[in-house]
Amino acid sequence: RLVNLATKASLMTLTRVSSLVRWKWEWFDEKLNCWIIPSDTKGLKRLKKYKNDKEYNHYIPHTHQFEVLMNNLYSINGNKEYVFHSPYKGNNPFLSSQTPNDHLIQLGFKGRQDAHGFRHVASTELNERGFDELLLGKCLSHMNNQGVMKNYNEAKLLKQKRKVFESWHELLFENGLRI
């Protein structure tokens, strides 16, 4: 069940799996109703000069659908530090970043879909639905390092990102995703 939920969380959050498996419960901000992934988290792909800089944290707005998934995870690992705490002895206290991909292989998607590919599918579909490419890049945790505005724009775009994630989650559930 944990692996299934981790795979679905990857699909819903559009984050790299290497970042997702490291999520901590303390990263949820109730006031903002979003997950704040610190800039030094592996998988966010921040340059060294941006690591440990709160300005480069990644914000993922919470939606009703994602809350259902996280409540299920909380019933499994709510007493642990990591959302995706692994019950198995290994190098880390959290699931391997390969685990969701292994799950997709077991489901018959070998050579057709992997967890990172969810990001491609979502970006394409959301672009087709009219969402701004730069906004989608922010949702995917890409950094806009072009032009002079990169030095001035510190907007988190939570309101706009929430609309993107709500649209994405509605689409997923309309097409059969179940938690």
Side-chain angles (χ1 to χ4, degrees):
R1 185 166 166 222
L2 176 64
V3 173
N4 183 286
L5 291 171
T7 306
K8 290 175 180 179
S10 173
L11 176 63
M12 293 179 77
T13 63
L14 306 177
T15 56
R16 291 175 185 89
V17 179
S18 55
S19 167
L20 179 79
V21 296
R22 291 169 169 77
W23 279 25
K24 296 182 179 182
W25 288 110
E26 66 188 41
W27 293 353
F28 182 70
D29 185 312
E30 288 186 44
K31 184 177 176 189
L32 294 176
N33 194 29
C34 73
W35 290 86
I36 303 173
I37 314 308
S39 61
D40 63 344
T41 304
K42 183 177 179 179
L44 282 188
K45 294 196 173 183
R46 302 293 192 248
L47 300 174
K48 282 186 181 182
K49 66 181 178 178
Y50 300 131
K51 302 247 183 199
N52 297 315
D53 186 339
K54 289 184 179 186
E55 182 180 329
Y56 295 97
N57 289 346
H58 179 49
Y59 291 75
I60 301 173
H62 210 49
T63 67
H64 169 70
Q65 296 92 334
F66 194 57
E67 183 176 1
V68 171
L69 184 138
M70 294 310 285
N71 286 340
N72 276 288
L73 280 165
Y74 193 82
S75 72
I76 298 169
N77 280 338
N79 62 336
K80 306 291 185 191
E81 177 181 13
Y82 292 95
V83 173
F84 300 99
H85 174 82
S86 176
Y88 305 107
K89 301 277 188 237
N91 295 333
N92 300 304
F94 44 81
L95 290 178
S96 163
S97 59
Q98 184 57 36
T99 301
N101 286 321
D102 291 343
H103 183 61
L104 289 169
I105 289 168
Q106 291 172 353
L107 292 173
F109 289 98
K110 184 176 184 175
R112 297 185 325 173
Q113 184 67 56
D114 64 7
H116 191 80
F118 293 154
R119 295 162 53 86
H120 295 268
V121 171
S123 178
T124 301
E125 180 61 32
L126 292 165
N127 261 297
E128 291 283 332
R129 290 175 176 252
F131 285 100
D132 178 72
E133 188 175 320
L134 290 175
L135 175 60
L136 292 177
K138 286 271 193 187
C139 291
L140 293 168
S141 149
H142 291 171
M143 292 182 54
N144 180 9
N145 290 328
Q146 298 179 357
V148 71
M149 285 306 292
K150 71 174 184 196
N151 297 308
Y152 299 102
N153 189 353
E154 296 179 14
K156 305 295 181 247
L157 304 173
L158 288 178
K159 189 175 182 180
Q160 296 91 329
K161 287 169 87 174
R162 188 171 310 283
K163 287 180 183 177
V164 170
F165 280 102
E166 286 172 350
S167 180
W168 176 238
H169 295 168
E170 286 172 17
L171 177 67
L172 292 173
F173 279 76
E174 286 169 7
N175 284 282
L177 181 67
R178 301 286 175 255
I179 303 297

